[in-house]
């Protein structure tokens, strides 16, 4: 969100788009649901088709940020082809790196306010409603957004089991994508995202391309 605001270009998150398709019960959503819930990757053709369509919308004319895509070498090749068609290329890759053990803590305690994207954590950033319940367990009946008072939700794949599958897919299929771009001479910056949000932001802000 902050990167989008700073560069004034949209963020396209394939994960968000797939969750929206699942919630809407569309054909793509039905195809994707089992994979998303279990933490497996959705077939390349499905996500490539979603991105292909989205990047042709007007708000992408000055560029866009891809969040969670490409996640396989095949997706990277397809993306490179798509961009070549309009004489474009990937400018910068930010690899936000967090050790698996910390990721498990962050993800399994995460609750989100769907409408705004605000994210909370049972221990690291509890909503006021949980703080007031002093020491009680994080259950849906005491998890509400600080600003709107609306209910918070947990993602269906923010479980230990699904996370194991997501991390496997990341290490086996997504890490090679970084090499794919390094070999093309594209700038790949590793960001230590195990730190505070403000520190992580400073590192990101320092490498963003400015016009
Ligand atoms: P995310 O919100 O990026 O963590 O993605 C959530 C889930 O959506 C992933 O675990 C996959 O099941 C699916 N997904 C999102 N992006 C992709 C992608 N580029 N390729 C395949 N599956 C994806």
């Amino acid at each position: 969100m902050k990167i989008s605001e700073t560069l004034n270009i949209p963020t396209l998150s394939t994960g968000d788009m797939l969750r929206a398709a699942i919630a809407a019960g569309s054909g793509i959503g039905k195809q994707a649901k089992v994979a998303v819930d279990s933490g497996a990757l959705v077939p390349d053709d499905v996500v490539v088709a979603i991105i292909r369509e989205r990047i042709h919308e007007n708000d992408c004319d000055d560029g866009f940020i891809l969040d969670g895509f490409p996640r396989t070498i095949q997706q990277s090749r397809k993306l490179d082809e798509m961009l070549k068609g309009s004489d474009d290329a990937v400018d910068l890759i930010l690899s936000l790196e967090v050790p698996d053990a910390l990721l498990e803590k962050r993800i399994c305690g995460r609750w989100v306010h769907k409408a705004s994207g605000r994210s909370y954590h049972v221990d690291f950033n509890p909503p006021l409603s949980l703080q007031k319940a002093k020491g009680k367990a994080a259950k849906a009946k005491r998890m509400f957004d600080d600003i709107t008072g609306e209910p918070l939700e947990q993602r269906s794949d923010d479980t230990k089991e699904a996370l194991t599958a997501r991390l496997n897919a990341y290490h086996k299929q997504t890490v090679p994508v970084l090499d794919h771009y390094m070999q093309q001479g594209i700038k790949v910056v590793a960001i230590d995202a195990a730190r505070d949000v403000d520190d992580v932001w400073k590192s990101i802000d320092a490498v963003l391309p400015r016009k």
Side-chain angles (χ1 to χ4, degrees), residues 13-16 18-19 22 32-44 47-48 51 67-72 75 107 110 155 157-158 162 165-166 169:
S13 154
T14 38
D16 283 351
L18 290 167
R19 280 184 289 279
I22 292 170
K33 187 171 172 23
V34 175
V36 171
D37 283 350
S38 67
L41 291 182
V42 169
D44 290 334
V47 280
V48 167
I51 286 293
D67 173 4
F69 180 92
R71 258 175 154 103
T72 65
Q75 290 178 23
I107 285 197
R110 172 163 75 169
R155 271 172 49 170
D157 58 344
D158 277 354
R166 287 160 69 189

Side-chain angles (χ1 to χ4, degrees), residues 63-135:
F64 46 86
I65 298 152
L66 292 169
D67 173 4
F69 180 92
R71 258 175 154 103
T72 65
I73 292 284
Q74 183 61 10
Q75 290 178 23
S76 319
R77 293 202 180 112
K78 294 276 178 190
L79 173 67
D80 298 346
E81 260 171 50
M82 270 184 244
L83 295 177
K84 229 180 191 169
S86 52
D87 234 359
D88 285 319
V90 173
D91 289 315
L92 171 68
I93 313 262
L94 295 178
S95 170
L96 273 64
E97 303 191 345
V98 178
D100 290 3
L102 176 58
L103 209 51
E104 185 184 320
K105 262 196 204 142
R106 283 189 181 175
I107 285 197
C108 296
R110 172 163 75 169
W111 288 69
V112 290
H113 178 239
K114 220 170 164 184
S116 67
R118 274 185 290 280
S119 182
Y120 297 85
H121 189 279
V122 174
D123 301 313
F124 307 142
N125 179 30
L128 294 171
S129 52
L130 183 64
Q131 291 176 36
K132 279 187 203 138
K134 291 196 179 99

